Amino acid sequence: MRRPIRIGPLLVGLLLSIAVAVEPIGPRAAEAEPATKKRLVVIVGRDSPVTDLSRIELNRMFTGSVVYVAKLRLVPFNFPPASRERTSFDGTMLGMSPAEVGRFWMDRKIRGQSGAPRSLPAAYVVKLVARLPGAIGYVAEDQLTPAVRAIRVGGLAYTDATYPLFLQ
Amino acid sequence: MTRSPPLALIGLEALLASLLAGTAAAQPPAPLPQPAVAPSPSPPPPVAADDGLDGLGDLGLEQALPAEDEALTIYGFADVTYMMYFLHDDAAAAALFPKENRFAVGNLNLYARRALSDSWRLLAEVRFLYAPNGATHDDGTIDQTSTNDPADFDRPLNWGGIEIERVYIEYDVHPRVTIQVGSFLTPYGIWNVDHGSPAIIGTSRPYAIGEALFPERQTGLHAYGTLNVGEYTVGYHATLSNGRGPYETFRDLDQNKAVGGRLTLEAPWAGTLKLGASAYGGRFTDRDSDISVIEDGKLVNTTPKGVSYDERAFAADALWTHGRFHLQTEIITRHIAYRNGARGVSGFGEGFAPDSFTYGTYGLGAYRFERYWNITPFIMVDYYRPIASQYLDTIATVAAGLNFRPLPSVVLKAMYGEGWFPGAPDLLADVHLRTMVFQVACIF
């Protein structure tokens, strides 16, 4: 009696072995030591009641969940996907690489869930955050203007030595 | 460009409201913050001439846009599969499954999304089908929908159908309560919500999902929301619908509404753990149309009884992600009890259908690598106990494969699966079904 050819397990096993063999060892890009020490500052408007957000609140907000502070709905603004600011923020706060972020938002669309926060260039992020109550964004520390206010992240001011967000 | 400050400000408010309406699309709970959609009680500061916001036109956010988001977003997904069955012509399974290797366009689904206001949204999803062309009936006959195309000199063409996957209007009643009305995917488990082939790691659904122990979708009301408690997120879903039926999207033949619910907990335990429990109860009824006759000069209506049963379904699910590890499992049960005088006929030609208890479970583990198109080896184990019969007792499958994501919008899959029928009497006792499936799926 003829037996079916079992090429499937062979193929899967071969490709799996290759994948394991070539997997890079070491910290993920997002966890790597920052190349510069320029900080990434989370900003709100000057009149915003928001003074401090935990990492998990920032994570929720920038992954499609709705977060309220003092009955004010926070509306996040992002940088374009390929920007250093976006890559740094997503890597540290969301724990995702650019590819993972791309998959995350694509899959949410297919599930019928909400899309990603609006992406805007730095100049617009600062201006819109300054103008819109509830808006929240992030910029490199040298982009700070008097129109916006830096908030604490997990209780840490951006001037603290253990502040977690850096531009990488 | 010179503008008076007030006008510029009004334009900006409209722009931001428009912007936010788009941002808020399909967010679970929550109306937008009042200041974002309505003029502030106190006049905001005037716009400085050097504000730089004139350049918003470069972003597609022209000042003349109305306060509502009028954009209709169209997107979708599609997949193409190559399926190989390792069957010989004389194998018993060849009588039960198609044995030819083949390409197949599986899904072409189109979504339309529109934010009607800051708190009202619409989502529609339709699937385009080649079916009924090629649909095989129990007696072996195959439908062919060939017809002549009057727009092309009556040359032959095969027409297909459209399945409305879901269409609902959604309203944020409260930050913690959003209500959908329409046809929606039943909120249970993981797989049924993931729904689309690009978002699913494997190439085919586990039996417990594919056999729809819970209805895949319902028509009625769906309320849901979440509550953040520290690092935990608690979620709920409640449904009221026509339930299951032959025409459930527009008729409820027994006027007995089905109810369902789901509770979820997301916790940061060793990564992220999501737990869920779901329940559904409803009545299925399939009957002929009412019969009206004139008796003694009066119109008398009679409602045939038909086939009817009450069903209760329960499910539990867990999804654990830790870095690149992904582990998910679901267990689903369904109990059917026929009503007196409304028992159906067994699908196996064994007389009347019995009351039944059906259950199934599966587990899927995967690890996504960073390199080589995010290669993701995965393994899936599937166990299903269908309605007991003299031919079939249990279906078990083991599958392993690779999932690649060269782009966020493109997924390549290869999956080898082997299925058998433990405890089956003679007919299927030695049947092993082996398949190799390749799939390309994309989001557009």
Side-chain angles (χ1 to χ4, degrees):
Chain A
M1 176 184 167
R2 289 178 299 166
R3 288 186 58 80
I5 302 168
R6 295 192 176 192
I7 61 167
L10 291 174
L11 183 64
V12 170
L14 178 65
L15 292 176
L16 180 58
S17 303
I18 293 170
V20 171
V22 301
E23 174 68 353
I25 297 171
R28 302 170 64 179
E31 297 163 353
E33 196 64 25
T36 70
K37 287 294 181 185
K38 191 183 287 183
R39 286 166 165 82
L40 208 50
V41 183
V42 179
I43 56 169
V44 296
R46 292 212 66 82
D47 298 330
S48 171
V50 181
T51 57
D52 188 354
L53 288 172
S54 67
R55 292 177 69 135
I56 196 148
E57 284 173 317
L58 284 167
N59 183 306
R60 283 181 184 138
M61 204 183 312
F62 281 88
T63 52
S65 295
V66 177
V67 173
Y68 282 81
V69 171
K71 296 186 177 178
L72 178 67
R73 179 180 173 177
L74 302 186
V75 181
F77 286 93
N78 243 334
F79 275 80
S83 63
R84 283 179 69 200
E85 289 90 343
R86 175 72 178 273
T87 305
S88 305
F89 185 85
D90 288 349
T92 305
M93 281 297 150
L94 313 185
M96 288 194 260
S97 66
E100 287 171 318
V101 170
R103 288 197 301 271
F104 177 84
W105 291 113
M106 284 288 178
D107 291 351
R108 278 181 65 91
K109 282 175 67 174
I110 294 305
R111 294 186 190 106
Q113 298 167 325
S114 62
R118 294 281 178 165
S119 296
L120 298 169
Y124 293 110
V125 169
V126 171
K127 285 165 182 167
L128 288 180
V129 167
R131 190 70 61 81
L132 177 64
I136 185 164
Y138 52 87
V139 291
E141 57 185 317
D142 57 5
Q143 297 278 324
L144 274 174
T145 72
V148 295
R149 180 165 50 79
I151 64 166
R152 292 173 175 267
V153 175
L156 297 170
Y158 78 96
T159 50
D160 290 349
T162 52
Y163 185 76
L165 265 174
F166 291 91
L167 192 61
Q168 294 171 3
Chain B
M1 181 175 137
T2 305
R3 290 171 299 152
S4 66
L7 278 178
L9 188 63
I10 291 167
L12 180 65
E13 290 288 324
L15 276 173
L16 295 178
S18 162
L19 196 64
L20 290 172
T23 304
Q27 299 275 11
L32 285 169
Q34 284 302 316
V37 295
S40 302
S42 58
V47 179
D50 61 349
D51 199 320
L53 287 171
D54 289 350
L56 284 170
D58 297 337
L59 304 172
L61 304 173
E62 291 79 8
Q63 301 268 340
L65 283 177
E68 301 86 33
D69 181 358
E70 291 189 328
L72 177 66
T73 306
I74 304 284
Y75 63 97
F77 70 91
D79 62 64
V80 180
T81 299
Y82 184 75
M83 183 171 283
M84 301 163 68
Y85 283 94
F86 299 108
L87 291 174
H88 297 300
D89 287 348
D90 56 354
L96 304 171
F97 305 99
K99 57 181 177 294
E100 68 274 12
N101 301 334
R102 62 189 188 278
F103 288 101
V105 176
N107 288 278
L108 174 57
N109 290 34
L110 208 57
Y111 293 67
R113 176 194 289 282
R114 168 83 198 275
L116 304 167
S117 78
D118 58 325
S119 54
W120 290 85
R121 296 173 289 278
L122 177 141
L123 178 76
E125 179 189 355
V126 295
R127 179 185 175 195
F128 296 90
L129 303 163
Y130 292 110
N133 191 45
T136 306
H137 297 280
D138 291 342
D139 62 3
T141 58
I142 300 177
D143 282 338
Q144 191 171 16
T145 62
S146 180
T147 188
N148 295 334
D149 183 357
D152 187 21
F153 301 104
D154 284 338
R155 292 186 173 113
L157 66 79
N158 294 320
W159 54 268
I162 293 175
E163 179 185 33
I164 300 174
E165 293 274 342
R166 51 181 153 175
V167 54
Y168 56 77
I169 297 162
E170 189 172 63
Y171 175 58
D172 298 325
V173 179
H174 180 269
R176 308 269 172 253
V177 185
T178 296
I179 290 183
Q180 294 176 348
V181 57
S183 174
F184 50 85
L185 297 177
T186 300
Y188 81 95
I190 302 163
W191 207 289
N192 200 58
V193 177
D194 280 355
H195 172 64
S197 51
I200 289 170
I201 293 175
T203 58
S204 51
R205 294 187 288 184
Y207 269 93
I209 308 295
E211 295 301 304
L213 303 187
F214 274 65
E216 184 176 350
R217 62 182 63 85
Q218 299 176 59
T219 301
L221 295 169
H222 171 205
Y224 68 91
T226 57
L227 176 65
N228 297 322
V229 184
E231 295 186 328
Y232 301 88
T233 301
V234 179
Y236 72 90
H237 297 260
T239 60
L240 178 73
S241 73
N242 288 342
R244 216 189 289 253
Y247 325 108
E248 63 207 31
T249 50
F250 50 90
R251 291 193 69 178
D252 184 7
L253 294 178
D254 48 36
Q255 298 195 69
N256 186 311
K257 296 293 176 277
V259 294
R262 172 170 170 77
L263 290 173
T264 61
L265 171 67
E266 182 176 337
W269 294 336
T272 302
L273 180 66
K274 296 179 183 175
L275 301 172
S278 312
Y280 168 85
R283 176 171 293 168
F284 170 91
T285 298
D286 185 8
R287 60 171 174 78
D288 293 332
S289 299
D290 287 10
I291 301 167
S292 298
V293 295
I294 297 174
E295 289 182 0
D296 300 331
K298 293 182 178 177
L299 190 64
V300 178
N301 186 68
T302 306
T303 302
K305 204 161 188 180
V307 174
S308 184
Y309 60 75
D310 291 321
E311 61 176 324
R312 303 283 180 269
F314 299 94
D317 57 271
L319 169 63
W320 178 61
T321 52
H322 180 76
R324 300 172 207 156
F325 278 109
H326 176 110
L327 199 60
Q328 74 181 63
T329 184
E330 295 183 53
I331 182 167
I332 308 166
T333 70
R334 179 194 188 196
H335 179 257
I336 285 177
Y338 282 92
R339 303 177 71 210
N340 288 336
R343 193 168 292 275
V345 178
S346 165
F348 294 96
E350 299 168 324
F352 286 113
D355 292 351
S356 63
F357 178 74
T358 310
Y359 69 93
T361 183
Y362 76 88
L364 185 152
Y367 184 86
R368 187 174 293 279
F369 291 85
E370 286 285 303
R371 283 190 171 184
Y372 292 97
W373 292 353
N374 298 119
I375 183 172
T376 306
F378 64 90
I379 186 164
M380 187 167 77
V381 180
D382 183 10
Y383 183 87
Y384 178 60
R385 289 292 298 268
I387 297 172
S389 80
Q390 60 175 315
Y391 302 114
L392 195 59
D393 182 76
T394 302
I395 300 173
T397 65
V398 175
L402 296 170
N403 176 306
F404 299 86
R405 201 87 184 240
L407 298 172
S409 56
V410 176
V411 186
L412 310 176
K413 306 177 192 176
M415 187 171 96
Y416 174 82
E418 183 156 346
W420 64 99
F421 307 92
D426 299 336
L427 189 62
L428 294 173
D430 297 322
V431 170
H432 276 238
L433 181 64
R434 300 180 182 91
T435 60
M436 185 78 209
V437 182
F438 300 92
Q439 188 179 77
V440 182
C442 84
I443 301 166
F444 54 89

